[in-house]
Amino acid sequence: MAKRRTDSRRRVLKTGESQRKNGTYSFRWTDDLGIRHDVYAPTLEQLRQKEQEIRKNERNNGKAQGRNITVDALYRIWLSLKQNLRATSRDNYCSLYENHIKQPFGNRRAQSIKKSEIQSFYHLLFTQEGIEANTIFCIHNIFRQILNIGVDDGYLVKNPCHRALTEIKRAAQGGKKQRPSLSIAEQKRFLSYLNTDERSRRYRPVFTTILCTGMRAGEIGALQWSDIDWDKNCITINHTLTCCSSSQGWELHLHAPKTPASQRKIQMIPAVRSALEEERAYHREHNLRCTTAVDGLCDFVFLTNKGTPQTDANLNSALRRITEQYNRDAAQRGCPQEILPHFTCHILRHTFATRLCELGVNIKVVQEAMGHADAAMTLNTYVDVKEELRAQEMELFAALIPSAELDEG
């Protein structure tokens, strides 16, 4: 057992207390910033009175700090604790905070924010600014985590974000829609235009591959020739390409897919194999090589004419140009009924899932091809039942039910 320290009158000294050679007393402590301090007194009684004043001041300073801490300060603490975030996720979080939360709440004292204010804020975003419910859910998730820091550190008694999203969830569920996909006719017109239009033909391999595999744009950008097994006729998905902001501008990085289920193998149908062979032939014919190594890798399949990997932004811009060209041509032909809607790479992915389900493919096969963790995600969000299929299925059902003859008597 450690021997307890005492003064010259054999009184036990507390932690930080000591008796000096001249008989006076000192107390040493370290504040919250790690700075060491000393106070002195001629007697032990007077020293302990000073100790009580020090502790009282520290408690009051802590309360004052809690009263004055702002949402911006909590946000900085919260962001510093997010050590394992992907660069793209960090950019998204920062963007949502800077664009939506900072202006109304950043300089506000966290203790002053009421639940009703947050509810009104979400309602304003949803009804007047036209922010989609999923984006508001993300904003809420960030805001809630930031204010949880205040609760955990004792600055807030409770989080005003708790259950502040109830009304928005109810409104969003009432108007929830499945993500759209191209109809069979629209899909045929799009593919036909890629085949016949000289300006668009360069993008035929990449968009055929997305449409016939359901790969995400980031997965297409990250696809390397070594991921293609020509003998087994399959593609391995093990990376996704992201474009992140940095002090030097925008940088490309490779990451593991978004979920473990996204790491998968996709069977190549003949159209995909032909598209990849066409892309490889284009590289050889035009001596096209990757000019930008991404995290040490440069064997990318789909490249721009500058030799850089295709990004989702590049591909979506190309889709916009192609559909605008097609629609202008359709209008000049006097065929406004053939106008294509605006769509993105992700709509092509939705279209892939929808076509498989329309053909009656087992939902587990569709789920694995899409890289979803469960089938509910595939069915509820991505599969869009088209009007023509609905009519066909009801006709099949009707054929099984004999028509009832009315008894006139």
Side-chain angles (χ1 to χ4, degrees), residues 243 258-259 345:
C243 190
K258 58 190 298 186
T259 64
C345 291

Side-chain angles (χ1 to χ4, degrees), residues 80-318:
S80 70
L81 297 175
K82 293 286 185 181
Q83 297 296 325
N84 297 321
L85 274 183
R86 288 183 180 180
T88 49
S89 297
R90 181 177 293 273
D91 285 347
N92 288 338
Y93 289 165
C94 292
S95 176
L96 288 173
Y97 181 83
E98 294 290 336
N99 292 333
H100 299 289
I101 301 173
K102 183 176 178 64
Q103 194 278 328
F105 295 106
N107 291 328
R108 292 275 303 277
R109 291 184 298 110
Q111 280 191 355
S112 71
I113 297 173
K114 307 298 181 187
K115 178 179 177 179
S116 58
E117 292 181 85
I118 297 175
Q119 289 175 315
S120 298
F121 168 59
Y122 293 156
H123 182 73
L124 178 70
L125 293 179
F126 190 66
T127 60
Q128 296 188 29
E129 296 190 19
I131 305 297
E132 291 194 4
N134 284 340
T135 303
I136 297 175
F137 295 161
C138 294
I139 293 169
H140 170 76
N141 188 44
I142 294 169
F143 205 179
R144 178 180 56 81
Q145 291 184 43
I146 290 170
L147 295 181
N148 270 343
I149 296 291
V151 175
D152 294 342
D153 287 353
Y155 301 137
L156 300 174
V157 176
K158 62 181 181 180
N159 192 331
C161 277
H162 180 60
R163 301 187 70 178
L165 204 58
T166 304
E167 292 301 321
I168 300 299
K169 285 183 177 179
R170 187 176 293 119
Q173 288 171 354
K176 189 174 183 180
K177 297 180 180 178
Q178 289 177 320
R179 294 182 179 179
S181 62
L182 297 181
S183 68
I184 295 175
E186 289 168 344
Q187 175 182 320
K188 288 181 177 178
R189 291 200 295 270
F190 172 62
L191 290 176
S192 176
Y193 193 68
L194 291 180
N195 289 333
T196 58
D197 183 69
E198 289 291 339
R199 299 163 295 181
S200 307
R201 191 172 296 167
R202 172 71 188 100
Y203 291 95
R204 178 171 59 186
V206 65
F207 291 137
T208 299
T209 303
I210 296 175
L211 187 57
C212 297
T213 62
M215 291 170 65
R216 299 176 178 92
E219 294 167 347
I220 276 286
L223 186 66
Q224 299 172 69
W225 291 112
S226 57
D227 297 327
I228 302 169
D229 190 325
W230 298 98
D231 295 329
K232 294 183 179 179
N233 225 36
C234 71
I235 299 170
T236 300
I237 307 299
N238 51 29
H239 288 100
T240 186
L241 183 71
T242 58
C243 190
C244 312
S245 63
S246 69
S247 57
Q248 285 79 36
W250 293 95
E251 295 180 350
L252 295 177
H253 291 284
L254 290 174
H255 298 283
K258 58 190 298 186
T259 64
S262 296
Q263 299 187 21
R264 63 200 188 277
K265 292 183 182 295
I266 300 175
Q267 201 68 23
M268 285 194 294
I269 65 173
V272 174
R273 188 181 182 97
S274 297
L276 293 173
E277 289 173 345
E278 180 183 343
E279 184 69 18
R280 184 166 58 177
Y282 184 90
H283 287 203
R284 291 171 177 168
E285 180 182 350
H286 295 85
N287 196 28
L288 183 61
R289 290 185 174 84
C290 183
T291 58
T292 303
V294 181
D295 296 333
L297 300 175
C298 58
D299 189 33
F300 298 103
V301 173
F302 294 109
L303 302 173
T304 67
N305 288 332
K306 294 181 179 179
T308 58
Q310 291 281 10
T311 64
D312 58 346
N314 290 342
L315 294 173
N316 285 329
S317 294

Side-chain angles (χ1 to χ4, degrees), residues 13-29:
L13 298 174
K14 299 177 183 178
T15 301
E17 295 178 342
S18 62
Q19 187 174 24
R20 308 172 75 196
K21 291 182 180 180
N22 62 3
T24 61
Y25 294 84
S26 68
F27 173 67
R28 173 171 289 183
W29 84 100

